[in-house]
Each structure stands twice: as structure tokens, then as C-alpha cells.
Amino acid sequence: MSHLQALDQYFSNNREKHLNELFEFLRIPSISSLSEHKEDIQKGANWLADALTKLKIENVTVDQTSGHPVVYGEWLHAEGKPTILFYGHYDVQPVDPLNLWESEPFNPEIRDNKLFARGASDDKGQVFMHLKMIEALFATEGTLPVNVKFIYEGEEEIGSPNLPAYVEANKEKLKADLIVISDTGLYAPGKPAVCYGLRGLTGVQIDVRGAKGDLHSGLYGGGVQNAIHALADIVTSFHDEHGTIQVEGFYDQVRPLSDEERKAYRDLNFDEEALKEEVGVKELFGEKGYSYLEQTWARPTLEVNGIFGGFSGEGIKTVLPAEAGAKITCRLVPDQEPNEIVALLRKHIEKHKPAGVEVKVSEFDKGAPWITPFDHPLIQAAGKSYERVYNVPTAFTRGGGSIPIVAAFDEILQLPVVLMGFGLNSENFHAPNEHFHLENFDKGLRVLGDYLHEVATLNFK
């Protein structure tokens, strides 16, 4: 019996047991951005540490940081074989708006072979797959084909503010040959993908202040600046009519796509009509001269995530608002640097500030973009493992989203990073009714197990 056949039999026999265990993990409301869930974050860390200990992983610790805990463990008995460092996160996004959920976000339900719960896809379900894959290899082979280490954090959803310092302080402990992360997705249903690049992230809040308080729009309107009007002018100045960013210098450091990459993206035959139907729009919109995949994988963005100010209750209130604000995020690509982009934003906002208001710019999360050559042997090996289980060619893609710690791993540990995810873009992570297709849960377990065997055959000398 091959190792894949043995894994298949084990996972089939233990599927219900494994799902029940995953339900336990998903019931913990480990929301990192809300202080009232600090104890739940600790529960999530303890649950993971206990699960690793039950697997006979050694030196398991729950390491406190100035924020939320980091969970670590290791098994280093595959003499002469490579070491894989597995990373993931056990924190989740808030669940608002709660009324849009069809089931309780922390009471997992299976409907149509999809597991619904906050964290089901991002990232508890995929972290759990790491654990069960290790369990299966121990059960079917009595050992592991490679050495393994684990590092799971509770702050990914708030930008991993404390993990870089933890990694820097523990470089020797985290020493490995590669890092495997399961926090990305497939290219499409039934179409596996290895992600070889991620966009970075930086964010600001713009606060506009006019008069010392809201004013009567009949007495003062037309003579005193309206803070919302001023904010609208600033926001409108960020793009032209085609969506091209108008911040001076914004594109200066953008690494152009290679001809090979552009051809690879064209060969994926992306279905724009299906995308329109999926998201409910009649036409797409974006920077001219680039395909949708190029726009969302390899070009930077500047998005307004929220605007606030004035009166928004039922009916009408005739005021001239004194304050207004907007939250802005930018997705960055190689070789853009987050701090440089913030400096350009500040300069642009000051230049386009209307008369009669003061503007304050506050900085938020930052994460550098990351990319690795998609012909790297470890990337190609991951593609082979996907193909053995899914029985179709693997796509090599970039991710439009951000995993802030990936660039830090690359810089601090100087290790190749392999992103082996099993989610789908349609699974509502960060939104109500987050879910995980169990078909990919099942196949992903087998892919990960096969990949450990594939890595064991590579020459790391």
C-alpha cells in the first residue's frame, strides 16, 4: 500500500472524529481585535498546545508576547532529513453584522458538504489540517518522513504586530529548511494552486475637522466648509476615471510583470463573466492595460474601506458636519515599501486638502509584499503533490491578499516559503457565513501528507 493509499484509508475512517474535534476549535471565539475576547484568545492558544501535545509533538510551549500568545512545538527525529516549519494563526475576524449569518458563527454547522463557522477557512480549518496530517502519518507509518516545527500566532488578523520580534528573538529555535503556510486558496473549484507571491498592506485613517461643532445648515451652509464635502474632494483625488491611482510616485517602485508571468496568467483562461455573476456586478472596473488577474495579483491598489461623518439616522437632520473621516488601505506589490507609500499619501492629502479644514492622518497595519520564483524546487514539489490528489495540473499564482508575517519570515529567517492553501475565494472569510468546502478539507489533508514525503526526497545540501 502506498503512503497516499494509507493516508486515504486513515482519513476516511476518522473523518467524523476529526470534524468533531475541529468543531471544538471553531467554538472558541478567538477574535484578536476585540479586547473582550482576550481570554478566548488564550483558550485558543491552549487548545492548540494541547492538540500538539496529544500528537506527541515535543517542547510544546505557549509563549506570551506583549500581545497575544505564540504556540510552538517540534518533532526532530528524522535524522538527516529536512525540517519544515509550519505556520498558521488561531485568531479570527469579528463576526459583524451578526444578523447576516444564517447560523451562529461560533456554533459550527455542515450544510451541502460545507462547514460554516467563523475561522472555518481562515485559518483554523487549515491549521487543523496540519495537525491531523501529522496524526495520520504517525498512525500509518509510526514516524514522520521529515522533521517538523510549528509556530501558530493569535494576531494575524490585526497585522501580526508582535510576531516579527518573537521570530527575531527565536531565530535559532525556528531554524528550518522551509516554511509551509496554509492560509491561501485554490485557483478555482477543483483547480489547485501554489501561491508564490502576496501583496503587502498599509493603511491610514483620514480625519477631517472643520468648525468646532456641527452647525445649522441654514444659518452657516454656503459660508463655512462642510467636512464631508472636504473629505469627498480628498477621496476623489486618489483616482482618475479609470481607477488609476493619482498619488504622485505611487507606481515608481512597482516591479513589472515578466512576459512569462503574463503568459501563465493568460493560459489560466480566467472567466470574467463567471466572476461578474459571482460578485453580482454587470461590469468590472480597474486599471487599464492589465487583465483582472494582473490587476488583483500584481498591481497595487488604494481602496476606501469606510467613510463616516454627519447624520445617518432615520429621517433628515439639517446640519453642516464639523467632522468626517475615511479609512484607507493600500495593497502593495514588489518592490513597494509600506512606509514610503504612507509618506506619499500624507503628501498627497496635504496637497489636496480643501480650504477651511484641518486634516489628521493616522497610520495602521503595515506588511511588506513578498514573492519567490515559481520555478523553485519546493514550489514545484508542492505542485506535484496537489496534482497527485486533484488529478489536474497545478496553477502557480500570486495572492491578492496579504499575510504580513510572510515577508518578515523571508527577511528574518531567510527561508523559502511555500503557500499551500485549500480555501476558495467564495468562502466569505472576513464576512458573514464564512465556510470551508469539505471536499478541499479532505483532499488537502492528503496533499499535505504527500508533500512531506516529496520534501524528504529533495537534496538540501
Side-chain angles (χ1 to χ4, degrees):
M1 182 183 295
S2 71
H3 65 263
L4 262 180
Q5 289 172 322
L7 288 172
D8 184 68
Q9 186 177 78
Y10 183 83
F11 288 129
S12 297
N13 291 342
N14 289 276
R15 188 174 191 265
E16 184 175 354
K17 172 179 173 288
H18 289 165
L19 287 175
N20 286 333
E21 292 173 0
L22 177 54
F23 282 13
E24 293 178 10
F25 194 23
L26 292 170
R27 289 190 183 106
I28 303 171
S30 48
I31 303 171
S32 54
S33 61
L34 301 178
S35 58
E36 60 262 36
H37 287 281
K38 185 176 181 179
E39 290 186 8
D40 295 314
I41 284 283
Q42 186 67 51
K43 288 178 183 177
N46 292 342
W47 190 95
L48 264 180
D50 185 55
L52 287 169
T53 301
K54 289 177 180 176
L55 290 176
K56 301 192 185 326
I57 301 301
E58 299 167 348
N59 300 318
V60 175
T61 57
V62 177
D63 299 330
Q64 300 300 322
T65 71
S66 58
H68 299 316
V70 172
V71 180
Y72 175 82
E74 63 185 27
W75 184 89
L76 305 175
H77 300 293
E79 188 175 349
K81 294 296 183 179
T83 299
I84 298 179
L85 174 62
F86 286 96
Y87 162 84
H89 64 94
Y90 61 89
D91 64 320
V92 299
Q93 284 278 334
V95 297
D96 309 271
L98 191 59
N99 64 298
L100 295 183
W101 285 81
E102 296 176 11
S103 55
E104 292 294 324
F106 295 109
N107 186 22
E109 286 188 10
I110 295 175
R111 304 192 297 272
D112 300 323
N113 204 34
K114 302 171 189 174
L115 173 56
F116 287 81
R118 174 58 87 227
S121 180
D122 180 23
D123 184 35
K124 286 183 177 178
Q126 301 200 60
V127 164
F128 183 80
M129 291 164 66
H130 294 170
L131 309 183
K132 294 300 106 176
M133 174 269 296
I134 296 296
E135 175 188 298
L137 287 171
F138 274 132
T140 57
E141 302 175 22
T143 188
L144 301 180
V146 297
N147 301 293
V148 293
K149 296 180 179 181
F150 302 88
I151 178 172
Y152 294 127
E153 68 159 321
E155 296 184 330
E156 194 276 344
E157 298 294 5
I158 54 173
S160 303
N162 293 293
L163 194 57
Y166 177 91
V167 173
E168 185 71 49
N170 291 277
K171 283 195 291 188
E172 188 62 32
K173 182 167 77 170
L174 298 174
K175 188 176 179 181
D177 294 292
L178 71 150
I179 302 169
V180 170
I181 300 174
S182 300
D183 194 14
T184 51
L186 307 182
Y187 172 65
K191 179 67 173 177
V194 179
C195 180
Y196 68 92
L198 293 168
R199 292 196 287 192
L201 177 70
T202 193
V204 301
Q205 179 169 314
I206 305 169
D207 289 294
V208 176
R209 178 84 196 197
K212 63 182 180 181
D214 290 354
L215 302 175
H216 190 290
S217 66
L219 297 177
Y220 297 95
V224 177
Q225 179 65 274
N226 183 314
I228 293 179
H229 295 179
L231 176 66
D233 286 346
I234 294 171
V235 168
T236 303
S237 74
F238 285 135
H239 302 88
D240 68 10
E241 68 274 21
H242 303 299
T244 302
I245 297 166
Q246 299 299 292
V247 176
E248 186 176 352
F250 191 89
Y251 293 108
D252 285 358
Q253 302 303 318
V254 171
R255 186 187 304 183
L257 277 159
S258 68
D259 292 340
E260 184 181 17
E261 285 179 297
R262 300 194 87 165
K263 180 182 184 303
Y265 298 172
R266 287 195 301 270
D267 289 346
L268 291 173
N269 297 314
F270 181 76
D271 189 343
E272 291 192 356
E273 293 304 315
L275 174 71
K276 293 176 191 177
E277 184 176 349
E278 176 190 325
V279 301
V281 298
K282 294 182 179 179
E283 58 183 318
L284 300 178
F285 174 82
E287 188 183 1
K288 297 298 182 183
Y290 298 92
S291 69
Y292 177 82
L293 292 184
E294 290 168 349
Q295 289 167 343
T296 57
W297 289 354
R299 297 296 293 173
T301 67
L302 189 161
E303 301 288 355
V304 180
N305 307 122
I307 288 182
F308 47 93
F311 177 72
S312 58
E314 184 178 356
I316 192 167
K317 183 180 181 183
T318 54
V319 295
L320 193 157
E323 296 178 304
K327 294 181 185 292
I328 308 291
T329 54
C330 299
R331 299 289 178 170
L332 310 180
V333 299
D335 298 294
Q336 290 180 303
E337 204 281 324
N339 289 323
E340 291 180 5
I341 294 300
V342 170
L344 294 175
L345 291 176
R346 287 183 180 277
K347 185 177 179 181
H348 178 93
I349 292 166
E350 185 63 29
K351 179 180 178 181
H352 290 82
K353 179 181 72 174
V357 295
E358 295 300 321
V359 178
K360 176 184 176 183
V361 178
S362 305
E363 300 179 21
F364 288 124
D365 295 353
K366 292 187 180 75
W370 165 84
I371 192 167
T372 196
F374 67 78
D375 59 356
H376 192 288
L378 288 166
I379 299 287
Q380 294 298 313
K384 291 178 183 177
S385 291
Y386 275 112
E387 289 174 13
R388 288 192 189 98
V389 176
Y390 281 85
N391 295 312
V392 296
T394 300
F396 295 93
T397 68
R398 292 202 207 179
S402 306
I403 306 176
I405 196 58
V406 171
F409 277 143
D410 184 45
E411 179 182 349
I412 299 170
L413 298 180
Q414 298 183 359
L415 296 176
V417 180
V418 182
L419 300 177
M420 299 183 68
F422 303 93
L424 289 170
N425 288 342
S426 60
E427 289 178 336
N428 289 4
F429 34 85
H430 293 209
N433 301 308
E434 178 181 350
H435 57 279
F436 193 12
H437 285 69
L438 291 179
E439 174 189 1
N440 295 319
F441 173 80
D442 294 331
K443 289 183 175 179
L445 288 165
R446 293 150 174 84
V447 171
L448 289 167
D450 184 76
Y451 186 59
L452 264 64
H453 279 276
E454 189 69 27
V455 170
T457 68
L458 298 178
N459 185 0
F460 282 81
K461 302 297 183 184

